[in-house]
Amino acid sequence: MPELTKVTIYTDGACSGNPGPGGWGAILMAGGKSREMSGGEAHTTNNRMELMAVIKSLALLTRPCEVDIYSDSAYVVNAFNQNWIVNWQRNGWKNSAKAEVANKDLWMELLRLTAIHKVTFLKVKGHADNEFNNRCDELAVEQSRKYAKES
């Protein structure tokens, strides 16, 4: 089996109001190169933007890779590292309070994408001294402001 390309991804989401105009930002790094990307929506939530950043990043990869995803979102990281997502699926997409899991559409897409790659989710402290997380935040806030002006 060929060695998988190692990819590092930093992601962040932002929302002005929750719900409200939101944005996401990501930085993908592999083989000494990096690429920034961002997007947003006029009416969304912070958690949806956090998920979209990861989804859009993984969707950009054209072949299976070994991916480290750095996020300041406990929602995203803990869903995988604390097996929330496994329990949600086992419980028919119900959370521990027996309510429908929010953002099921995005979780299902993220599950599909993570099945293609060897993914490790790593939590970083938000708005701290991590230059990549800070840059992702800038990208996400930029998009959030753009969508706020358009609405």
Side-chain angles (χ1 to χ4, degrees):
M1 187 166 146
E3 190 173 315
L4 298 176
T5 300
K6 293 188 188 308
V7 178
T8 300
I9 299 174
Y10 281 83
T11 64
D12 199 20
C15 207
S16 180
N18 204 16
W24 58 267
I27 302 171
L28 286 77
M29 296 176 270
K33 296 179 182 173
S34 69
R35 175 177 176 176
E36 292 184 351
M37 55 193 286
S38 61
E41 296 176 20
H43 188 76
T44 189
T45 65
N46 189 63
N47 283 340
R48 285 189 74 80
M49 292 295 92
E50 295 283 0
L51 287 164
M52 286 301 293
V54 178
I55 288 167
K56 294 292 190 177
S57 299
L58 289 174
L60 201 63
L61 304 177
T62 58
R63 64 182 179 277
C65 297
E66 184 176 332
V67 185
D68 286 339
I69 297 175
Y70 292 86
S71 172
D72 63 10
S73 170
Y75 180 64
V76 172
V77 174
N78 291 348
F80 287 91
N81 291 352
Q82 295 184 13
N83 294 318
W84 297 353
I85 201 157
V86 171
N87 293 332
W88 295 337
Q89 291 174 80
R90 187 181 317 124
N91 297 327
W93 289 97
K94 301 258 191 261
N95 62 25
S96 59
K98 306 289 186 248
E100 289 292 321
V101 169
N103 306 309
K104 177 183 169 186
D105 58 329
L106 298 182
W107 286 117
M108 290 179 75
E109 178 61 8
L110 188 50
L111 272 174
R112 186 187 72 76
L113 290 166
T114 56
I116 297 168
H117 309 283
K118 183 181 176 204
V119 179
T120 303
F121 285 88
L122 301 141
K123 177 87 170 63
V124 296
K125 187 173 181 180
H127 313 284
D129 58 357
N130 186 299
E131 67 175 299
F132 301 115
N133 178 259
N134 290 341
R135 178 60 183 145
C136 288
D137 179 63
E138 288 172 7
L139 292 168
V141 169
E142 235 171 64
Q143 287 290 324
S144 178
R145 288 183 180 140
K146 174 185 150 191
Y147 281 91
K149 287 177 186 167
E150 291 176 6
S151 58

